[in-house]
Amino acid sequence: MEIEISTENIGELIEKAFENKEIKVYYQPKYNAVNGKIQGAEALARWRMSDGIMISPAMFIPLLEELGLIIQLDWYMMKETCLFLSEEIKAGRHVVPVSVNFSRLHSKEPKFSEKLSEMADEFKIPRKLLEIEITESALAFDGADIIDFVRSIKDAGFDISIDDFGSGLSSLNFVKDVPASVLKIDKSLLSGNCENEKERIVLESIFGFANRLGLSTVAEGVETKEQLGFLRTCGCELIQGFLFSKPLPEEEFREALKAADSVPETEDILLTLPPASATQLLLNAVFKHFPLVILSNLSRNSFYMMAYENFSTRSCPSTGVYDELIVHGASTMHPDDQKLFSDTFDVNDQIAAYEDGQRVRSVITRQLGDDGVYRKVETTNYYMKNPASDDILAITLSRAIE
Ligand code: C2E
Ligand code: CA
Ligand code: CA
């Protein structure tokens, strides 16, 4: 059965939906990009009518915005979130900060931040467990009033997230004036597997800019491990997306939190890296000697090309499946060296050798350059285990030796 929802009937339908509890809060967890632990969540509205029909937020949110009824929905979501958190806290269970979406229309609502504080107090929720998401477009185009609005929320003790950052045409300049604490990078900036170099430059710049302004970062819509790998290299803090979890009904979210709480703390090597400038200097020195540098996750059969400037074959893909990289690499070798190359860098053989204690593996092969000339090339893999996940990682350094 099809149901037509329009500005004509949505007012009446939503009224009933609130009464009959047809609207549920789903929680999409946000994960620490380095150790994979749940560190937050976003509350998202799900509307299932009494006859079982689901209505997508893409359908009802814009209609509610148009009629101003979104105000009621947002407060309903906030209240349900507070109720959930207060039950969890009372039961002594582990909780994480939850962000709630608030439409731009609230900026015109009198005593907004007072109302927020009253609700948090009514349910005895510490302010740091609640975060307010406001879209970039609302912040960028509503002018000076919105800055005062955001400041009053901040002054009341709640963190503010700039949602959908990078989705509009807004300038970066407004970010410095908005007293927000979190930048949520829009999923439209993450196409495919981040194999497009220009796209990577844009993302790297945004994360650099956020870090320097002292904003924490969340990437949303993360669907692949290649995206995750790249986001980690940008210093992105939290990951939200189908790769880890879709939005979950309350019961499943509670289970996910319970599971997260029982996993011991792990520390990742990436957390203990020296400051960015020293790292960059070191990397520049490495890149000078080794024009081809690849970071691979052997356990997940994936790789990310860190540098491949001036290397003899420029046709390499920049991120993807490790097995395919080796097949590609072998195809650029002298026919007599191809088997040696693919045997040396066979994924399973390398993992087995790591388990037997091997930490380095190197070969010299003849590689065909773009100029049609064979050159001797030394390719070395250094192995280590990622302490956060037990995955076996390899750094490949490669250079011509004649
Ligand atoms: P949003 O705030 O940008 O929320 C993130 C959306 O991305 C959610 O869609 C979520 O389900 C979806 N998503 C999460 N991970 C992935 C992924 O890996 N890939 C893809 N393709 N999508 C992913 P959803 O739940 O359909 O919500 C759509 C929009 O509706 C939200 O976008 C938000 O702007 C709005 N919305 C939802 N609930 C509320 C609410 O209570 N109040 C207000 N004002 N807006 C809401
Ligand atoms: Ca949001
Ligand atoms: Ca968003």
Coordinates of all heavy atoms in Angstrom, one line a residue, residues 133 163-164 184 186-187 220, ligand 3:
E133 N 23.9 19.0 16.7 CA 24.4 19.1 15.3 C 23.6 20.2 14.5 O 22.4 20.1 14.5 CB 24.2 17.8 14.6 CG 25.2 16.7 15.1 CD 25.4 15.5 14.1 OE1 25.0 15.6 13.0 OE2 25.9 14.5 14.6
D163 N 27.5 20.2 11.0 CA 27.2 19.0 10.2 C 27.3 19.3 8.7 O 27.2 20.4 8.3 CB 25.7 18.7 10.6 CG 25.3 17.3 10.2 OD1 26.2 16.5 9.7 OD2 24.1 17.0 10.4
D164 N 27.5 18.2 8.0 CA 27.5 18.2 6.5 C 28.6 19.2 6.0 O 28.4 19.9 4.9 CB 26.1 18.7 5.9 CG 25.0 17.7 6.3 OD1 25.3 16.6 6.7 OD2 23.8 18.1 6.2
K184 N 32.0 17.9 11.2 CA 31.5 16.7 10.6 C 31.7 16.8 9.1 O 31.0 17.5 8.4 CB 30.1 16.3 10.9 CG 29.9 15.8 12.3 CD 28.5 15.2 12.5 CE 28.5 13.7 12.2 NZ 27.2 13.1 12.5
D186 N 31.2 16.0 5.4 CA 30.1 15.4 4.6 C 30.5 14.2 3.8 O 31.6 14.2 3.2 CB 29.5 16.5 3.7 CG 28.1 16.0 3.2 OD1 27.2 15.8 4.1 OD2 28.0 15.9 2.0
K187 N 29.6 13.3 3.7 CA 29.9 12.1 2.9 C 30.2 12.3 1.4 O 30.8 11.5 0.8 CB 28.9 11.0 3.1 CG 27.4 11.3 2.9 CD 26.5 10.1 3.3 CE 25.1 10.4 3.3 NZ 24.6 11.3 4.4
E220 N 31.6 11.3 8.1 CA 30.4 10.5 8.0 C 30.3 9.8 6.6 O 30.9 10.2 5.7 CB 29.2 11.3 8.4 CG 29.0 12.4 7.4 CD 27.7 13.2 7.7 OE1 27.2 13.1 8.9 OE2 27.2 13.9 6.8
Ligands
CA3 CA 25.6 14.9 8.1

